[in-house]
Amino acid sequence: MNNAWKIVIGVVIGFVAVFGFPFYYNLGKANVAPKLKYDTPAILEYEKEHGKKECVEPKEFMAKEHMQLLNTWRDEVVRYGQRIYVNSRGESFHISLQNTCLNCHSNKKEFCDKCHNYLAVNPYCFSCHIVPKEKQS
Amino acid sequence: MKILIPFFAVIALVVIALVGAQASHALFGIWIPYAAVLIFVFGFIFKVLKWGRSPVPFRIPTTAGQMKSFAPWIKQNKLDNPSSSLGVLGRMLLEVLAFRSLFRNTKTQLYPGTKLTYGSEKFLWLGGLAFHWSFLIIFVRHFRFFMQDVPYPIQIVEHLDSFLQIGAPLLYITDVVLLGAVTFLFLRRVMMPQIKYISLPADYFPLLLIFGIGATGVLMRYFAKVPVVSVKELVMGLLTFSPVIPQGISSLFYAHLFLVSTLLAYFPLSKLMHMGGVFLSPTRNMANNNREVRHINPWNYPVHVHTYEEYEDDFREKMKKAGLPVEKE
Amino acid sequence: MATKVTTPKPDQLVTSIDFTPPKTGWMDTPTIIKPGTFCWGAKGKNLATVEFPNARDWNPSDQDWKLPENWQEIFLKGMEDLLGKYRSFKVFMDICVRCGACADKCHFFIGSGDPKNMPVGRAELLRSVYRKYFTASGKMLGKVAGARELTVDVLKELWYYAYQCTECRRCSLYCPYGIDTAEITIMCREMLNLLGLNTDWISGPVANCYMKGNHLGLEPHAIMNSIEGMIDDIETVTGVRVNPSFNRKGAEILFVTPSGDLFADPGTFTCMGYLALFHELGLDYTWSTYASEGGNFGFFTSNEMAKRLNSKIYAEAKRLGVKYIIGGECGHMWRVLHQYMDTWNGPADFLEVPVSPITGTRFDTAKVLKMIHITEFTADLIKHGKLKLDPSRNDDLVVTYHDSCNTSRGMGLLDEPRYVIKSVCNNFYEMPENTIREQTFCCGSGTGLNASENMELRMRGGFPRANAVKHVKEKHGVNMLANICAIDRATLSASMDYWVPGVRVTGVHEMVANALIMKGEKERETNLRGEPLPGKEGN
Ligand code: SF4
Ligand code: SF4
């Protein structure tokens, strides 16, 4: 009988411990979404030249689909030797993570890692590619 | 009918969310989720306490193997017929984590003539296990949306789940397994005549609902992507009690959230409470030590018995004649 | 009432098993109370003897069940009461997911194909009523939520199927949450008893047991007569005259066994087995005519009734001043003793922890209950070499062993009887593994369903067990089905005659006594049944 109550209490405590976890774990922590920095020397230079900052594709697209784009790029180069990417505006780009993407976004810590850390994503780009030296203005 | 009602109910829920979220992000992104969590947590606790209010008057484990014998030379089956708390813990763990009882499942078949066989039938066990474990892993994986800095163990779970490194974003094994298992459980219900016969709308509804949750989740991850940073911002807003509605989150996400909210709110009212109930089942959570340790029934009360004295009064002469000793001459 | 009910032939019965469920849903399929599948209604006088409500004669096949005006209220009130008393009941009403794992585990479903005989189906019959009156969703959504009104027809259906469950717990073994349909049936029967809806075959023995101490209603001198007959038979077979005592104060041990062993073959041979064994040991024990029933048909009516009947065992042990109790071979008796007796009528602190006077073994696993199973006692004797045995005397037997539902799933007494059997006979074969030990099949007639008017039901329920026996009969030539249950001895005999003619039924201690070489015995020519021993056929 007494034992019977023990189990009930145990179940309730276990339940609260598991499902309340996200609430009390975050207790007192502020909700700060990452702010990305687009101020590397290369980006600033591009802005000077073109009068605006833009990526190979529109920003919204890049935010959601960059992983897929990079994946396609990798396949194009590695499997088919295709090194030119023509974007939705009709411009051509040399397909290269290190020389194209990271040329502008030479601030991995302030750019890639920001969101990836926030969302605990561990892309395996840099298990092959070399992390470039951080450049920032 | 039994399938159509829940089917249209789930469709309706999706439509409500898709349309409704356009009208009010705050309702579908903040208030409904809050209400659902409240119902879930308090409903669950309420239900468990309600069960708890009824005592366990007798110790009635279903014993599933050799008991602890008086004789040391007879080997006890300590997990299937435990006699100690430790053994019960083992039995419960096996039950909850590995579905021990379902593992025993057999399928009865009657062949022409009078031949009956009981073949081993592990599909229900496998399907059930696949479903529950992938659900759990997916839930745990979602903690990357629930915590400001994601602890390492959760990252490991996520990492392992995607270790096949298929596509980008990486394919989660559990996504496939969950949808597959739900489909299996659904088809099983529809195709096996006996199971279909006893199924209620309340059996199809959760399956369809969970399928909907899985499907919207998969869509968001692989096909119609949503800005995850904003999604996390919204979720974290809820969890830190400072709700925000970031811009640019599509209705698909709200549909996902709404279905999850529905599941949470529905949970305590339904058979899904087997999650809590399995721990309270007296046939599983008690030790078979009845003859060794006294069990008290809190409502045990004196009953009217036919005493020996009354018995002797009824039969004294006959007893004496038969040479039986009597108390009163 | 006494219309003659015919039972179909075995092949007719098998071909009539159809696992395809009806086209209409179960709530819309009316239940027909079919002759051959139910027991006669209780007699008013028997219900009155034990102060049960609504005591009257009634007949289940009549339209009018003579229910009290407010029967629905009584039933639901009873349900509420039981929900408050038993967590098992409440939890089992709430958490079934209708996965169907239990569905084809029930011998009554296997033998009938009736989906309402699937454990989950049986439980849903009551669960639907629970939903209607005790859950918000059922109250609001009705049928969509699987809820239904408690009408007279529903009540009849509940009765019909509560008496097609032998509370064997096989379903509970396979259920992922341990939902025990036996427990649900127990609750259902208790509620039905509030309306006087009992059967003659149960209420008769209950009334007998209450007034006279045993189900059969044997009065003190009749018990002694019966045992004297056995004493004569033992003497004829062995040349040894055993000398038991009755109601003797100061004996060391009280022996309690089901009264079935006193009355009909082959139970009586088992009883002779006990007598011969105890005599050979010189055991200081006594029988009781007051506590002359180990079984407990009260358990098939209500918890209170079961407790009332059970109380006699401890009361008598106390009155006689014995040290502890040995219990005979019986199934449900041991479920009740093991899982209920001490909680009901304990603590038995006037008794001592059982110690075998022959071997000195202390039975610590029974240190609270102070009651041991006879196969525990005998297994210990054999292990210590205290019995002179000649198993070859049982060489004409090819034996298999039926585990009783209750001792296997409500206790776990599996290897003790096996050890005894293997020590006293040379030819032993197990039935297929999915049909023995904890997975054992019911004889098909437990929980007071062993009447004769429901023979068809019994044979259907007995089909899976019999089929496994048939398997070992064909494979190994098995001709004897051993068991440790008085009800089995009666019901399996009928089921073997029907399904597997040529296989007979025996209690374990009959075989023990046949193999037992007693001090001063003459050269045995026959076994306890009076049949020639192997090698002595010519004499
Ligand atoms: S096995 Fe248990 S949960 Fe499944 S249908 Fe049967 S009683 Fe319900
Ligand atoms: S307890 Fe036995 S008879 Fe009753 S439903 Fe379960 S399996 Fe069938």
Side-chain angles (χ1 to χ4, degrees):
Chain A
M1 170 48 191
N2 1 14
N3 200 22
W5 266 108
K6 253 192 260 163
I7 295 170
V8 173
I9 303 298
V11 170
V12 170
I13 291 177
F15 173 78
V16 172
V18 173
F19 290 93
F21 186 60
F23 287 96
Y24 54 74
Y25 181 85
N26 290 310
L27 224 54
K29 290 185 193 160
N31 175 21
V32 272
K35 289 271 171 298
L36 302 185
K37 286 206 168 145
Y38 310 96
D39 56 357
T40 60
I43 294 179
L44 293 177
E45 196 166 308
Y46 183 94
E47 191 184 13
K48 230 186 267 163
E49 256 172 54
H50 296 81
K52 58 183 170 193
K53 292 180 184 173
E54 60 182 1
C55 197
V56 293
E57 296 286 0
K59 193 175 161 192
E60 290 70 36
F61 177 86
M62 291 309 288
K64 291 190 216 166
E65 305 284 353
H66 64 279
M67 64 300 274
Q68 206 134 356
L69 184 74
L70 290 172
N71 216 32
T72 324
W73 278 20
R74 180 195 60 194
D75 292 350
E76 295 276 297
V77 173
V78 180
R79 305 224 172 114
Y80 313 111
Q82 173 62 260
R83 284 211 165 260
I84 303 297
Y85 175 73
V86 181
N87 73 4
S88 51
R89 301 188 294 266
E91 302 155 352
S92 301
F93 290 88
H94 183 65
I95 296 184
S96 167
L97 177 70
Q98 257 158 281
N99 300 329
T100 304
C101 306
L102 299 176
N103 181 39
C104 286
H105 301 293
S106 53
N107 54 343
K108 177 168 173 284
K109 285 216 183 77
E110 293 297 321
F111 186 73
C112 310
D113 292 353
K114 265 280 154 84
C115 291
H116 291 161
N117 287 347
Y118 182 59
L119 290 160
V121 181
N122 293 303
Y124 53 89
C125 311
F126 299 102
S127 29
C128 300
H129 292 281
I130 302 160
V131 182
K133 225 173 87 211
E134 291 288 314
K135 281 190 222 150
Q136 244 161 302
S137 63
Chain B
M1 272 308 274
K2 290 197 291 191
I3 308 178
L4 289 183
I5 294 175
F7 179 73
F8 284 116
V10 173
I11 301 277
L13 289 171
V14 175
V15 173
I16 289 172
L18 290 178
V19 177
Q22 297 301 322
S24 168
H25 284 154
L27 181 62
F28 284 82
I30 299 171
W31 302 118
I32 290 178
Y34 268 144
V37 169
L38 277 180
I39 298 176
F40 176 61
V41 172
F42 288 100
F44 189 101
I45 294 175
F46 178 78
K47 190 95 200 197
V48 171
L49 292 180
K50 197 171 150 196
W51 288 333
R53 268 215 313 275
S54 297
V56 180
F58 303 102
R59 196 190 280 134
I60 52 162
T62 302
T63 58
Q66 172 62 40
M67 67 176 175
K68 177 181 166 197
S69 178
F70 74 94
W73 44 272
I74 289 177
K75 201 167 151 276
Q76 181 193 1
N77 184 337
K78 291 201 167 120
L79 282 171
D80 291 322
N81 190 349
S83 55
S84 64
S85 305
L86 197 69
V88 171
L89 188 72
R91 185 180 199 191
M92 287 306 293
L93 285 178
L94 262 188
E95 195 63 84
V96 173
L97 301 178
F99 299 1
R100 168 71 180 105
S101 295
L102 273 188
F103 189 71
R104 253 184 220 116
N105 196 25
T106 56
K107 184 183 164 82
T108 305
Q109 261 165 324
L110 175 63
Y111 295 97
T114 55
K115 199 170 137 67
L116 271 173
T117 61
Y118 317 96
S120 157
E121 159 69 51
K122 298 272 185 281
F123 285 109
L124 176 58
W125 172 77
L126 204 65
L129 211 57
F131 170 74
H132 284 85
W133 272 102
S134 54
F135 201 107
L136 176 69
I137 294 171
I138 290 173
F139 173 66
V140 169
R141 243 177 37 208
H142 273 68
F143 274 59
R144 75 190 178 100
F145 295 111
F146 300 164
M147 304 167 126
Q148 192 59 256
D149 17 65
V150 183
Y152 193 55
I154 292 187
Q155 299 196 31
I156 295 190
V157 171
E158 204 246 347
H159 195 69
L160 290 177
D161 198 1
S162 57
F163 92 103
L164 293 179
Q165 298 199 340
I166 298 172
L170 294 180
L171 176 77
Y172 287 133
I173 302 164
T174 48
D175 284 354
V176 180
V177 175
L178 180 81
L179 290 181
V182 173
T183 311
F184 166 75
L185 293 177
F186 182 82
L187 289 180
R188 183 179 168 276
R189 228 176 240 297
V190 184
M191 290 182 359
M192 295 174 70
Q194 266 82 30
I195 316 295
K196 185 170 181 197
Y197 198 67
I198 45 157
S199 291
L200 298 172
D203 297 313
Y204 296 106
F205 179 67
L207 284 176
L208 293 166
L209 187 64
I210 289 168
F211 189 87
I213 291 171
T216 46
V218 162
L219 278 178
M220 276 192 290
R221 179 169 171 89
Y222 306 102
F223 304 104
K225 297 198 183 66
V226 291
V228 271
V229 172
S230 308
V231 166
K232 180 159 181 178
E233 225 185 321
L234 183 145
V235 175
M236 291 302 297
L238 290 174
L239 293 174
T240 52
F241 302 107
S242 41
V244 282
I245 297 288
Q247 290 308 300
I249 303 181
S250 67
S251 297
L252 187 57
F253 168 75
Y254 289 103
H256 186 69
L257 191 59
F258 186 55
L259 293 183
V260 172
S261 302
T262 311
L263 183 70
L264 288 176
Y266 177 71
F267 203 99
L269 311 168
S270 69
K271 70 166 193 176
L272 302 179
M273 278 306 291
H274 67 264
M275 179 169 90
V278 64
F279 294 98
L280 296 189
S281 181
T283 62
R284 291 290 185 274
N285 70 12
M286 305 185 93
N288 180 36
N289 53 4
N290 293 57
R291 288 192 289 164
E292 240 179 315
V293 180
R294 189 164 159 67
H295 183 85
I296 305 284
N297 171 3
W299 49 260
N300 197 19
Y301 54 90
V303 293
H304 182 195
V305 299
H306 192 67
T307 61
Y308 175 79
E309 288 67 34
E310 292 168 296
Y311 170 83
E312 194 182 291
D313 287 346
D314 291 348
F315 296 110
R316 186 165 298 110
E317 287 319 308
K318 287 174 178 166
M319 289 171 80
K320 273 162 59 183
K321 228 165 109 196
L324 284 170
V326 287
E327 299 270 339
K328 273 194 270 178
E329 282 304 320
Chain C
M1 206 189 271
T3 41
K4 182 97 182 74
V5 183
T6 49
T7 308
K9 298 263 159 307
D11 49 333
Q12 285 172 332
L13 196 152
V14 171
T15 36
S16 77
I17 300 174
D18 182 3
F19 289 126
T20 341
K23 292 246 158 20
T24 46
W26 61 265
M27 280 194 205
D28 306 316
T29 311
T31 287
I32 299 154
I33 297 186
K34 228 178 107 220
T37 57
F38 68 91
C39 297
W40 306 142
K43 294 205 178 66
K45 68 170 178 19
N46 287 331
L47 294 180
T49 303
V50 291
E51 304 133 36
F52 269 5
N54 201 22
R56 82 242 172 272
D57 287 353
W58 72 290
N59 185 348
S61 50
D62 284 351
Q63 211 29 265
D64 178 14
W65 281 15
K66 304 183 193 163
L67 298 169
E69 194 79 36
N70 58 340
W71 66 267
Q72 199 196 41
E73 190 188 317
I74 296 174
F75 189 92
L76 293 173
K77 181 76 197 46
M79 190 160 184
E80 188 182 339
D81 186 40
L82 291 174
L83 286 165
K85 277 179 163 176
Y86 291 88
R87 183 179 301 167
S88 53
F89 189 29
K90 226 187 217 175
V91 171
F92 294 165
M93 282 294 109
D94 279 327
I95 66 170
C96 171
V97 298
R98 285 163 297 281
C99 69
C102 58
D104 59 354
K105 307 304 180 286
C106 176
H107 48 286
F108 284 119
F109 172 69
I110 297 173
S112 71
D114 181 348
K116 288 176 189 169
N117 262 332
M118 296 189 287
V120 48
R122 194 185 317 285
E124 286 289 301
L125 299 178
L126 186 61
R127 213 175 262 131
S128 56
V129 174
Y130 166 77
R131 289 192 197 103
K132 180 75 199 173
Y133 298 94
F134 297 94
T135 70
S137 54
K139 277 179 200 155
M140 272 161 11
L141 298 174
K143 202 172 164 189
V144 176
R148 61 173 180 170
E149 301 262 341
L150 179 60
T151 62
V152 172
D153 286 335
V154 169
L155 183 74
K156 290 184 174 178
E157 185 175 71
L158 288 172
W159 179 85
Y160 187 55
Y161 287 100
Y163 288 92
Q164 293 191 44
C165 167
T166 46
E167 301 173 3
C168 76
R169 311 184 103 197
R170 192 165 193 266
C171 44
S172 155
L173 182 72
Y174 296 89
C175 175
Y177 320 119
I179 293 177
D180 184 6
T181 304
E183 186 81 355
I184 296 172
T185 299
I186 289 171
M187 300 299 148
C188 192
R189 286 193 184 182
E190 180 148 351
M191 291 179 257
L192 290 165
N193 267 289
L194 298 173
L195 303 171
L197 297 179
N198 207 320
T199 72
D200 185 35
W201 193 260
I202 295 173
S203 57
V206 167
N208 277 339
C209 191
Y210 190 67
M211 297 308 294
K212 302 186 178 169
N214 57 77
H215 293 153
L216 298 172
L218 301 174
E219 298 187 353
H221 56 286
I223 294 177
M224 294 177 71
N225 277 346
S226 172
I227 289 189
E228 251 139 47
M230 296 180 199
I231 295 174
D232 293 340
D233 288 349
I234 295 173
E235 188 173 13
T236 315
V237 174
T238 66
V240 179
R241 187 149 186 96
V242 305
N243 189 18
S245 60
F246 296 88
N247 300 2
R248 176 164 64 90
K249 287 194 177 176
E252 184 181 357
I253 296 162
L254 170 66
F255 180 65
V256 179
T257 198
S259 61
D261 284 350
L262 301 175
F263 187 65
D265 300 350
T268 46
F269 303 126
T270 309
C271 195
M272 287 155 75
Y274 307 143
L275 289 164
L277 174 71
F278 293 159
H279 176 86
E280 175 63 15
L281 299 171
L283 203 66
D284 177 16
Y285 84 110
T286 184
W287 295 76
S288 163
T289 58
Y290 170 64
S292 48
E293 182 58 67
N296 194 329
F297 270 40
F299 192 62
F300 312 142
T301 62
S302 74
N303 184 66
E304 182 177 312
M305 193 64 236
K307 181 180 166 185
R308 289 167 71 188
L309 296 185
N310 174 266
S311 69
K312 295 184 185 182
I313 297 180
Y314 275 157
E316 185 70 341
K318 190 170 185 179
R319 186 182 75 88
L320 297 176
V322 300
K323 287 190 180 152
Y324 66 93
I325 312 167
I326 295 181
E329 298 182 9
C330 182
H332 78 277
M333 156 179 167
W334 272 97
R335 166 107 198 265
V336 167
L337 297 174
H338 186 73
Q339 297 196 328
Y340 293 85
M341 174 154 90
D342 176 64
T343 302
W344 279 333
N345 293 313
D349 36 24
F350 46 89
L351 297 175
E352 295 174 12
V353 178
V355 175
S356 169
I358 320 295
T359 64
T361 301
R362 248 175 84 99
F363 292 87
D364 275 319
T365 50
K367 67 172 178 243
V368 163
L369 192 75
K370 280 119 178 168
M371 183 154 184
I372 57 173
H373 194 283
I374 184 151
T375 59
E376 294 180 304
F377 182 71
T378 307
D380 176 60
L381 292 171
I382 296 174
K383 185 73 182 179
H384 283 86
K386 299 293 182 191
L387 298 184
K388 263 210 248 160
L389 297 167
D390 176 6
S392 74
R393 288 186 193 162
N394 285 319
D395 270 355
D396 54 333
L397 308 182
V398 186
V399 181
T400 192
Y401 174 65
H402 160 74
D403 291 274
S404 295
C405 311
N406 286 293
T407 46
S408 27
R409 287 183 288 264
M411 189 175 182
L413 183 89
L414 304 175
D415 286 326
E416 291 86 346
R418 282 182 170 75
Y419 178 75
V420 175
I421 293 172
K422 288 179 192 165
S423 307
V424 298
C425 76
N426 289 322
N427 314 313
F428 177 75
Y429 297 97
E430 291 278 13
M431 284 180 273
E433 67 167 334
N434 285 329
T435 71
I436 54 166
R437 299 179 76 91
E438 69 276 6
Q439 302 194 58
T440 189
F441 272 110
C442 182
C443 63
S445 315
T447 61
L449 301 190
N450 49 330
S452 51
E453 62 269 21
N454 63 339
M455 195 52 85
E456 176 178 343
L457 174 77
R458 290 177 50 190
M459 293 305 111
R460 286 184 185 278
F463 176 43
R465 170 39 80 223
N467 196 67
V469 176
K470 189 166 169 225
H471 177 80
V472 281
K473 180 185 184 228
E474 282 161 8
K475 201 161 156 202
H476 305 291
V478 162
N479 58 15
M480 191 55 97
L481 178 56
N483 60 69
I484 47 166
C485 174
I487 293 190
D488 279 334
R489 287 190 277 276
T491 62
L492 285 174
S493 298
S495 144
M496 289 303 114
D497 287 347
Y498 182 85
W499 288 111
V500 207
V503 175
R504 296 188 301 165
V505 177
T506 179
V508 170
H509 278 78
E510 179 188 340
M511 295 196 295
V512 170
N514 276 331
L516 184 68
I517 300 171
M518 299 172 76
K519 286 184 277 291
E521 71 175 20
K522 64 173 194 190
E523 178 162 353
R524 293 202 202 178
E525 303 287 333
T526 70
N527 61 23
L528 290 176
R529 299 188 184 196
E531 301 157 350
L533 288 176
K536 304 278 168 94
E537 290 88 350
N539 306 9

